[in-house]
Amino acid sequence: MTERIADIERARAAAEREDWVEAYEELGALDPATLTARDLDAFADAAWWLSKHDESVDRRQAAYAGYVAAGDEQEAAGVAVRMSFEHFQRGEPSVAMGWLGQAQRHLEGQPECVPLGFLMLCQAVVGQHTGDLEGARELSEAVTGIGRRLGNRELVALGIHGQGLALLAVGRVPDGMALLDEAMTSVVAGQLNQFYTGVIWCNVLDACLDVGDLGRAREWSDTARAWYRTLPPESPFPGLCRINRATVVGLFGDWQEAAAEAERVSEEAFNPEAAARAFYETGEIRRRIGNFAAAEEAFARAHELGADPQPGLALLRLAQGKAESAATALRMAVASETGHRLRRARLLAAQVEASAAADLLDEARAAADELEGIAGEYATPALRASAAMARGVVRLREGDAVGALDVLRSACAHWQQLRMPYEVARARLVLGSALRAAGDADDATLELRAARSAFERLGAEPEANAAADLLARPGELPRGLTEREAEVLRLVAAGRTNRAIAAELVLSEHTVARHLQNIFAKLHVSTRSAATAFAFEHDLA
């Protein structure tokens, strides 16, 4: 008997300090008949943190049944609310609403208590998703009050965080972000349990990305890194949170970590939304490094799982030399995105790039105008940089190289302030082109060299090659092509077969095939159509 008591006390101590691996092992070694409802609830927590989702649900349901049998209405309600949260996260809203209804029944006639606060939080989340934003804000404010009266720090922080999200949803960005910052101080101070730490951290990152406040996203991501690294490797959490972190670290140049995080999330079948976003992020990274076939596959998987693959897929088409296809896809995507100004801003920035490349200057100009309006409305550095970049691209394509310089320098400055190396390099690439067109060859070379170095450090091979092409001396063929290879490429672009090329250049078909193999390797392409696109882009056709 003494040994059994020691075993269960050890298991409870592990759960109390949130050592989920030990808690799971210790609780799993005990006779289930000896576990209380509270022990089963802790067992469910441990299973959840180790991504044993079905087992977690089973244990939590058993805990709920134990509290109901004991007549403990408040604890039963608390478990029901937690079940509701988890089923919402799993993309099972009907089941979640059923548990929410159970929680309400248990708390009818009960005095003010902590489970009531969590019930109201869940109701606020439902209100926010169904459009009752003022109701969500009022419920969150009430939760903060309950938390203060009962001395519960988690309710206080979650209530403040809920108010912030509701204010953001109605466009009160500075007020909303200030409240989210306040809630995050509880996270970094270690005042909350791991689950609700993750809820707040995830939502704050999501909100920062949503409004384009990338500097704030980086600050909070870096600040919470110590907590993040304490999570078990098997942990499903932060789920969407982890893909938010992948997005953040990817934006700031750590593509290896971003790819690793995205790959982990994409393998999690329990959350299709997170997996879809992970595949999209994977596609973006692969596009930037020049692995176009793998990027296309990732975007297709994202689409299958319900995510919009734009603007990434259109930018992939643009990188493949299909400017008109990219412009068409983005025109349709912008037309269909009417409800979210900030998502529309991302599409508009890509539309400027694709439309300008396809010589659809009226379309590019209109997209740049609208993007400037959104940037003025939200006034975050990333949006200002994106709008300046778009305006510079349009002016350069219009032939106003001198007029493009100031806005492109502004874009560079904003991206540098945010410490986003890929975006800085892209802005420098366009700035270098504008400087050269304006007749400033020396400064153009400085910018293009800086862009090429940054792209090479990041592994962004397509852009590094583009910068190298722009740095080539006048009269020099791009990518180290020989004169004979350029002749073969011109004929490929003209639609000639290998046999026809051999006859025209008085070569053997074997020699033509070898030249074509060398051309593909130097251009980093694998098809004749891609080589043809390169030839037209570089005036070799």
Side-chain angles (χ1 to χ4, degrees):
M1 176 65 72
T2 303
E3 183 177 345
R4 187 178 66 80
I5 293 173
D7 289 343
I8 199 155
E9 289 302 324
R10 187 165 54 250
R12 288 169 179 168
E16 183 68 24
R17 64 176 180 270
E18 299 183 325
D19 184 339
W20 302 118
V21 174
E22 183 180 344
Y24 180 82
E25 291 173 351
E26 293 289 348
L27 288 165
L30 296 170
D31 180 356
T34 66
L35 300 180
T36 67
R38 192 171 301 280
D39 295 330
L40 289 166
D41 203 11
F43 204 168
D45 285 340
W48 187 88
W49 280 102
L50 299 179
S51 293
K52 301 178 185 296
H53 303 291
D54 292 339
E55 186 175 0
S56 173
V57 169
D58 290 344
R59 302 295 183 185
R60 192 101 53 200
Q61 288 174 341
Y64 171 77
Y67 285 128
V68 170
D72 193 334
E73 300 289 348
Q74 291 187 11
E75 291 296 341
V79 174
V81 170
R82 176 63 187 266
M83 290 288 282
S84 182
F85 269 118
E86 291 184 20
H87 282 289
F88 274 126
Q89 283 191 320
R90 288 163 63 104
E92 300 166 350
S94 298
V95 180
M97 290 302 294
W99 280 107
L100 196 60
Q102 287 282 32
Q104 288 175 292
R105 288 184 181 278
H106 286 298
L107 291 174
E108 288 175 0
Q110 292 290 317
E112 187 173 83
C113 57
V114 170
L116 176 63
F118 283 107
L119 169 64
M120 293 168 67
L121 277 173
C122 208
Q123 291 170 329
V125 171
V126 173
Q128 185 141 347
H129 283 281
T130 57
D132 184 8
L133 302 178
E134 181 56 25
R137 189 197 64 76
E138 290 175 354
L139 279 168
S140 297
E141 187 174 2
V143 167
T144 303
I146 292 173
R148 286 179 175 144
R149 287 190 293 275
L150 298 179
N152 187 288
R153 290 174 174 176
E154 286 165 350
L155 285 179
V156 172
L158 288 162
I160 291 170
H161 143 274
Q163 292 174 65
L165 293 177
L167 291 176
L168 286 180
V170 296
R172 292 175 57 184
V173 176
D175 293 339
M177 294 309 300
L179 288 171
L180 291 183
D181 287 345
E182 183 181 349
M184 275 297 290
T185 60
S186 297
V187 167
V188 298
Q191 295 179 338
L192 314 180
N193 74 22
Q194 285 187 342
F195 183 79
Y196 293 112
T197 290
V199 168
I200 292 178
W201 187 66
C202 179
N203 285 336
V204 168
L205 280 191
D206 199 42
C208 291
L209 293 172
D210 205 29
V211 303
D213 196 340
L214 303 183
R216 188 182 248 109
R218 177 173 186 156
E219 287 181 37
W220 283 125
S221 181
D222 288 347
T223 301
R225 185 178 297 175
W227 164 78
Y228 183 80
R229 288 176 173 171
T230 66
L231 301 182
E234 307 89 345
S235 166
F237 206 67
L240 281 176
C241 217
R242 193 156 64 231
I243 195 57
N244 284 339
R245 174 160 173 79
T247 302
V248 171
V249 298
L251 286 170
F252 292 100
D254 193 344
W255 292 354
Q256 186 174 2
E257 182 178 353
E261 292 284 16
E263 184 176 352
R264 285 183 64 196
V265 179
S266 67
E267 295 169 354
E268 294 175 352
F270 85 99
N271 192 325
E273 182 184 354
R277 284 185 56 187
F279 277 114
Y280 178 86
E281 191 62 31
T282 298
E284 285 284 64
I285 294 167
R286 290 172 176 173
R287 172 182 67 82
R288 291 172 187 168
I289 65 176
N291 190 347
F292 293 160
E296 183 136 15
E297 181 182 344
F299 287 135
R301 288 288 292 124
H303 179 67
E304 289 171 13
L305 290 169
D308 184 355
Q310 303 299 359
L313 183 57
L315 292 174
L316 174 61
R317 295 284 176 260
L318 184 60
Q320 292 169 325
K322 303 173 183 177
E324 290 186 2
S325 174
T328 299
L330 286 164
R331 187 183 311 122
M332 295 172 64
V334 168
S336 64
E337 180 52 77
T338 58
H340 196 296
R341 298 272 285 162
L342 292 159
R343 281 198 292 268
R344 189 173 173 87
R346 290 182 64 221
L347 295 169
L348 289 166
Q351 185 182 26
V352 169
E353 189 176 348
S355 297
D359 286 325
L360 301 170
L361 293 186
D362 288 342
E363 193 170 273
R365 195 179 302 111
D369 289 343
E370 184 178 351
L371 182 56
E372 282 182 346
I374 297 174
E377 181 181 345
Y378 287 91
T380 62
L383 280 173
R384 287 196 293 265
S386 185
M389 177 78 164
R391 182 59 62 198
V393 168
V394 170
R395 288 181 182 173
L396 182 58
R397 295 293 292 190
E398 290 173 334
D400 182 12
V402 174
L405 295 178
D406 284 345
V407 287
L408 289 171
R409 287 189 178 110
S410 175
C412 284
H414 283 308
W415 291 129
Q416 285 174 323
Q417 179 187 358
L418 289 167
R419 293 181 290 168
M420 296 177 64
Y422 178 71
E423 300 299 342
V424 172
R426 290 183 67 245
R428 279 186 150 158
L429 186 66
V430 182
L431 177 58
S433 299
L435 286 164
R436 176 170 290 176
D440 188 348
D442 289 342
D443 283 349
T445 298
L446 286 174
E447 294 294 346
L448 293 171
R449 283 176 176 168
R452 181 180 62 183
S453 296
F455 287 136
E456 288 173 347
R457 286 193 299 272
L458 288 165
E461 189 172 296
E463 282 95 343
N465 289 334
D469 291 344
L470 288 169
L471 284 165
R473 290 187 296 275
E476 192 176 76
L477 290 168
R479 308 286 172 87
L481 291 171
T482 66
E483 288 291 344
R484 177 62 83 184
E485 288 166 350
E487 286 182 312
V488 172
L489 180 57
R490 288 187 188 101
L491 293 171
V492 168
R496 303 285 202 281
T497 63
N498 283 13
R499 177 175 293 182
I501 295 170
E504 186 160 341
L505 298 180
V506 193
L507 300 170
S508 70
E509 285 190 55
H510 175 75
T511 300
V512 171
R514 180 169 51 79
H515 281 312
L516 198 55
Q517 185 178 13
N518 291 339
I519 290 166
F520 283 4
K522 289 179 179 180
L523 304 190
H524 302 286
V525 300
S526 58
T527 65
R528 297 171 84 94
S529 60
T532 297
F534 179 90
F536 277 101
E537 288 171 8
H538 294 79
D539 298 322
L540 296 176

